[in-house]
Amino acid sequence: MSSAPPDDILHRTDNGVSWITLNRPEAMNAVTWDQRERVIALLGEASADPAVRAVVITATGRGFCAGADLRGAPAAGERVAGDVARTIRLGAQRLITAVLDCEKPVIAAVNGTAAGIGAHLALACDLVIAAEPARFIEVFVRRGLVPDGGGAYLLPRLVGPQKAKELMFFGDAVPAADAERLGLVNKVVPADELEKTARAWAERLAQGPTRALALTKQLVNASLDVDRASALAAEAAAQEINMTTADANEGVASFVERRTPTYRGR
């Protein structure tokens, strides 16, 4: 079990939506080791809980997430070869993978600066809504570091390799409006409309065919890494699985009967 102070991550489930809120505004929500473990656990619980049908990740204060706060990490002795790679695999990469592999759609509601692993946490989400003051910063180069937490995997798939290199080579802040234009963000809204917009999107998803959405997410994420034949085979298999669900039967029946479907996520 994580030993994160309960108020460092706020969590509630409302109308089928799991709200995960980073809550260290005094640190611009730089994520600690304990917070990371708690978020990973909550995403795993969301996958397994039929009552949860969508997830929102957001934060309090002026920042979404300023990156990793290593002060909360377990004490380390003398570093030897392999330690850094292991730390990244078990840390930042697990966090990003937990978002990508969550079986429910995940929305990032980005209230402010998302830097380093904080940017990657947002960009790993299925949909990204940003408040107008939000900024995205590939801050690693400013510290003489290689982007980690899946950055060099995520960004080229969102904006193409040349633009990804520009963002990572220079580390400049990308305002929310520019991030939307580049395709990093789905929608930009005034700050006071962020929660309302995220709630509307999440609750709409929570009324959808949850298993079909999970399979769609898996297909899209995998499509960028496989050849056409593999993608088409995966698509056919996913539809085969999906047609065993109650929601698929309801969707077809509602079409035939000319009525609005009622999906139950099963």
Side-chain angles (χ1 to χ4, degrees):
M1 292 291 292
S2 170
S3 58
D7 291 341
D8 278 3
I9 297 289
L10 305 178
H11 179 250
R12 70 184 191 278
T13 301
D14 185 20
N15 287 337
V17 180
S18 173
W19 289 79
I20 301 172
T21 304
L22 305 180
N23 187 40
R24 294 179 68 235
E26 71 284 356
M28 293 286 283
N29 293 303
V31 66
T32 66
W33 186 91
D34 287 329
Q35 282 181 302
R36 183 194 71 219
E37 294 304 304
R38 177 66 174 146
V39 172
I40 291 170
L42 288 170
L43 289 166
E45 291 168 14
S47 287
D49 187 350
V52 173
R53 297 172 65 186
V55 177
V56 176
I57 299 177
T58 191
T60 58
R62 295 184 301 109
F64 175 74
C65 178
D69 186 344
L70 299 179
R71 291 173 296 181
E78 181 182 358
R79 180 184 298 166
V80 298
D83 285 351
V84 172
R86 186 183 315 105
T87 297
I88 292 170
R89 283 198 310 271
L90 298 180
Q93 290 178 355
R94 281 180 55 244
L95 175 61
I96 299 307
T97 300
V99 177
L100 293 170
D101 290 347
C102 182
E103 295 177 32
K104 309 297 165 68
V106 183
I107 295 174
V110 183
N111 53 301
T113 297
I117 188 65
H120 300 165
L121 175 62
L123 300 179
C125 292
D126 303 303
L127 300 169
V128 183
I129 304 171
E132 289 173 347
R135 303 182 305 159
F136 298 82
I137 311 173
E138 285 296 322
V139 74
F140 299 91
V141 70
R142 300 186 187 182
R143 312 288 182 255
L145 300 175
V146 171
D148 63 35
Y153 175 87
L154 293 169
L155 257 74
R157 286 163 170 76
L158 292 168
V159 300
Q162 312 269 153
K163 182 58 69 171
K165 290 172 190 172
E166 178 186 335
L167 297 176
M168 292 179 165
F169 286 1
F170 293 114
D172 293 334
V174 180
D178 290 345
E180 182 182 29
R181 177 177 55 81
L182 289 172
L184 294 172
V185 166
N186 294 88
K187 188 178 183 68
V188 177
V189 298
D192 60 1
E193 294 181 16
L194 179 64
E195 182 175 350
K196 179 180 73 173
T197 305
R199 179 181 300 280
W201 279 27
E203 291 185 355
R204 183 176 175 187
L205 289 170
Q207 295 301 311
T210 308
R211 299 315 304 161
L213 292 176
L215 289 164
T216 301
K217 172 175 178 171
Q218 292 170 10
L219 286 174
V220 172
N221 286 352
S223 72
L224 298 168
D225 300 321
V226 300
D227 59 84
R228 181 180 65 183
S230 298
L232 295 181
E235 174 190 277
Q239 194 71 291
E240 179 78 29
I241 294 167
N242 187 62
M243 289 305 295
T244 68
T245 67
D247 280 349
N249 292 327
E250 165 66 6
V252 173
S254 68
F255 174 76
V256 172
E257 297 164 13
R258 298 185 178 182
R259 60 176 174 80
T260 301
T262 299
Y263 295 123
R264 305 189 184 281
R266 299 173 186 273

